[in-house]
């Protein structure tokens, strides 16, 4: 009896926002190969990360737990590789497992990939051109340079894993791109794209951060103003008035971002072609996602970290002809901590106790459980580090978003110990989808604020996190 369990090809980009994917209605680019996954499978419109930054989101995906539980709260808290992960469970159950590309969960014997039959990962962020990779050896691991462009190389390694796999056992393959992470260095093949055209600007490019808590204006991620020449590939005309500088820097930045995305799209096409050409199409689950979203000039910013929509939202599309109807769309709230229990269920395994997320396998069949979540919990811990974003937590419901900037490092590794007076923000996403108007003190919302604070604290207790000591309501 042949093994009927599905294979998995899990493709994850780094900082690829869904509003730069045509299957999500992008106004600025086309991603025909990513669209193949959505057209032949399911697009999730409300997939959220629980902490919008690389290392913590990756740990949440692998463990199925929130960062206060798995201990990976910031970029400076590498993951203990003895933690249980869904990949280890699949491997123990006979799956062939591999990961190629960006890891960013720490280096050395206690932090490098474990639970994988094969792996090769970039040290830290890695390089776009001729990057070094860390490979396992009999004695541990070693670093070696590889010639070429990083997105092509990671795809080549993934294809090589597929070619060499044992045909009678299912696989779980993680293809983790570095792209389109800062500093957005395209390859020669895509350097000509967008050359003689202006890319449409986002609605909030000239945001002045009025009517917001002080965190928005304090953030140091403004286009031009907080960029370095590596970002724009040329000297920055810093004497321009700020809004003109934003306009200039947006075009410089977004074109390189989209060129780098174009290479991902081509390379995803190569992987899909391989599956289709080798009889693997029907029984392979293909996922494309990103560790979080990104500000594509939205609010005048690049980067992420904030609980605002563009950063909170992860693209998540999934193809599985044996189990998902083509061209379907799901609008339930799913989270990065849900991935692990979902993949385990599809492989016929129960979710272990440490998984805090919930399997969305029913949604793949077009069914939403009656008690599915209507709110989600978020927390960003890395107070002030790198881009001066204040530590915050909050909830998002269908209509509202409540954010509490407690603005305190709380001893977290990498956070800066310079606390500020806490502030609240409330957005009515129905009336204010771009989150430009904080209504926390609007008397019309007074009742709503009480309800939402209660829901925040309920959710926080449910996931086992601690309330900040000045959050007393
Ligand atoms: Ca990232």
């Amino acid at each position: 009896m042949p093994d009927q369990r599905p294979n998995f090809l899990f493709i994850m980009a780094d900082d690829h926002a869904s509003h730069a994917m045509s299957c999500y209605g992008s106004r600025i680019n086309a991603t025909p190969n990513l669209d193949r996954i959505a057209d032949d499978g399911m697009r999730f419109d409300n997939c959220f990360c629980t902490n919008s930054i690389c290392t913590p989101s990756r740990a949440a995906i692998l463990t199925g737990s929130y960062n206060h539980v798995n201990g990976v709260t910031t970029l400076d808290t590498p993951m203990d590789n003895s933690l249980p992960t869904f990949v280890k469970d699949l491997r123990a159950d006979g799956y062939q497992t591999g990961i190629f590309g960006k890891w960013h969960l720490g280096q050395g014997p206690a932090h490098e990939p474990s639970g994988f039959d094969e792996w090769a990962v970039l040290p830290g962020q890695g390089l776009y051109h001729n990057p070094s990779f860390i490979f396992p050896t009999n004695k541990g691991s070693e670093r070696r340079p590889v010639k070429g462009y990083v997105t092509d190389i990671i795809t080549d390694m993934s294809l090589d894993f597929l070619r060499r796999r044992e045909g009678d056992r299912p696989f779980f393959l993680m293809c983790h791109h570095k792209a389109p992470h800062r500093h957005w260095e395209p390859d020669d093949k895509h350097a000509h794209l967008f050359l003689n055209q202006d890319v449409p600007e986002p609605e909030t490019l000239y945001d002045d951060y009025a009517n917001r808590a002080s965190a928005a204006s304090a953030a140091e991620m403004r286009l031009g103003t907080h960029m370095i020449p590596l970002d724009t590939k040329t000297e920055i005309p810093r004497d321009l008035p700020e809004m003109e500088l934003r306009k200039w820097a947006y075009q410089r930045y977004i074109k390189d971002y989209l060129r780098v995305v174009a290479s991902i799209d081509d390379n995803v096409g190569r992987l899909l072609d391989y599956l289709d050409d080798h009889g693997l199409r029907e029984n392979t689950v293909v996922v494309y996602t990103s560790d979080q979203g990104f500000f594509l000039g939205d609010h005048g910013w690049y980067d992420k970290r904030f609980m605002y929509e563009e950063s909170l939202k992860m693209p998540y599309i999934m193809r599985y002809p044996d189990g998902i109807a083509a061209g379907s769309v799901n609008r339930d709230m799913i989270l990065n901590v849900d991935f692990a229990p979902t993949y385990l269920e599809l492989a016929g395994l129960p979710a272990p106790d440490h998984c805090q997320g919930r399997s969305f396998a029913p949604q793949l069949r077009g069914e939403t459980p009656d008690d599915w979540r209507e709110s989600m919990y978020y927390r960003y811990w890395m107070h002030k580090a790198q881009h001066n974003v204040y530590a915050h937590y909050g909830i998002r419901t269908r209509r509202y978003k409540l954010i509490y900037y407690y603005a305190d490092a709380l001893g977290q590794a990498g956070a800066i110990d310079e606390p500020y007076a806490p502030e609240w923000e409330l957005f009515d996403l129905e009336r204010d989808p771009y989150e430009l108007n904080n209504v926390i003190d609007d008397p019309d919302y007074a009742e709503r604020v009480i309800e939402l604070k209660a829901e925040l604290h309920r959710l926080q207790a449910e996931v086992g996190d601690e309330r900040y000591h000045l959050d007393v309501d």
Side-chain angles (χ1 to χ4, degrees), residues 14-15 53-54 58 102 181 291-292 304:
D14 192 347
D15 296 2
I53 194 165
C54 302
R58 287 155 196 271
K102 185 158 174 184
H181 193 278
D291 54 353
Q292 6 71 208
K304 56 259 182 180

Side-chain angles (χ1 to χ4, degrees), residues 274-305:
Y274 183 91
L275 298 179
D276 293 356
D277 294 346
H278 290 80
L280 292 166
R281 179 187 166 85
E282 306 302 319
N283 194 35
T284 299
V285 176
V286 179
V287 172
Y288 184 86
T289 187
S290 168
D291 54 353
Q292 6 71 208
F294 209 69
F295 296 109
L296 304 178
D298 312 281
H299 300 292
W301 290 334
Y302 60 99
D303 211 71
K304 56 259 182 180
R305 297 163 195 263

Side-chain angles (χ1 to χ4, degrees), residues 131-349:
S132 284
F133 279 79
I134 301 172
F135 296 89
T137 65
N138 291 337
K139 291 184 202 145
S141 63
E142 66 177 19
R143 193 183 287 211
R144 293 199 306 268
V146 180
K147 274 208 180 323
Y149 186 66
V150 69
T151 308
D152 298 335
I153 296 168
I154 292 167
T155 306
D156 290 344
M157 288 174 167
S158 301
L159 284 167
D160 193 45
F161 172 90
L162 291 175
R163 288 190 195 103
R164 285 184 294 97
R165 78 191 195 283
E166 295 170 26
D168 56 350
R169 287 199 295 140
F171 61 83
F172 197 102
L173 169 59
M174 305 184 97
C175 170
H176 281 200
H177 289 300
K178 166 195 171 54
H181 193 278
R182 194 183 182 197
H183 304 273
W184 319 295
E185 294 173 26
D187 59 356
D188 293 342
K189 221 188 296 181
H190 300 92
H192 66 285
L193 297 174
F194 308 100
L195 265 186
N196 295 310
Q197 65 188 89
D198 279 344
V199 179
E201 296 176 349
E203 287 81 353
T204 58
L205 179 61
Y206 305 106
D207 190 356
D208 62 2
Y209 318 116
N211 310 315
R212 231 81 57 78
S214 56
S217 56
E220 294 174 359
M221 50 172 78
R222 294 188 203 176
L223 293 167
T225 307
H226 300 113
M227 285 178 154
I228 57 174
L230 260 184
D231 297 320
T232 53
K233 318 295 187 296
T234 184
E235 282 303 313
I236 297 171
R238 297 196 190 274
D239 49 343
L240 284 178
E242 184 180 350
M243 295 305 169
E244 280 178 50
L245 181 58
R246 269 191 216 182
K247 187 181 189 66
W248 174 87
Y250 173 71
Q251 295 297 333
R252 297 288 317 178
Y253 144 64
I254 202 68
K255 289 181 185 181
D256 277 341
Y257 182 96
L258 297 177
R259 289 164 183 148
V260 164
V261 166
S263 172
I264 296 179
D265 188 70
D266 285 358
N267 276 291
V268 167
R270 292 172 66 206
L271 284 165
L272 296 179
D273 288 347
Y274 183 91
L275 298 179
D276 293 356
D277 294 346
H278 290 80
L280 292 166
R281 179 187 166 85
E282 306 302 319
N283 194 35
T284 299
V285 176
V286 179
V287 172
Y288 184 86
T289 187
S290 168
D291 54 353
Q292 6 71 208
F294 209 69
F295 296 109
L296 304 178
D298 312 281
H299 300 292
W301 290 334
Y302 60 99
D303 211 71
K304 56 259 182 180
R305 297 163 195 263
F306 274 96
M307 199 189 165
Y308 294 150
E309 289 294 272
E310 299 85 354
S311 155
L312 176 69
K313 208 167 252 194
M314 304 165 77
Y316 191 93
I317 50 178
M318 196 169 182
R319 183 182 90 170
Y320 178 27
D322 277 354
I324 298 175
S328 44
V329 175
N330 181 284
R331 296 191 173 85
D332 295 338
M333 283 190 200
I334 65 163
L335 310 177
N336 55 0
V337 291
D338 298 334
F339 296 1
T342 303
Y343 306 151
L344 288 170
E345 181 173 345
L346 291 176
L349 291 173

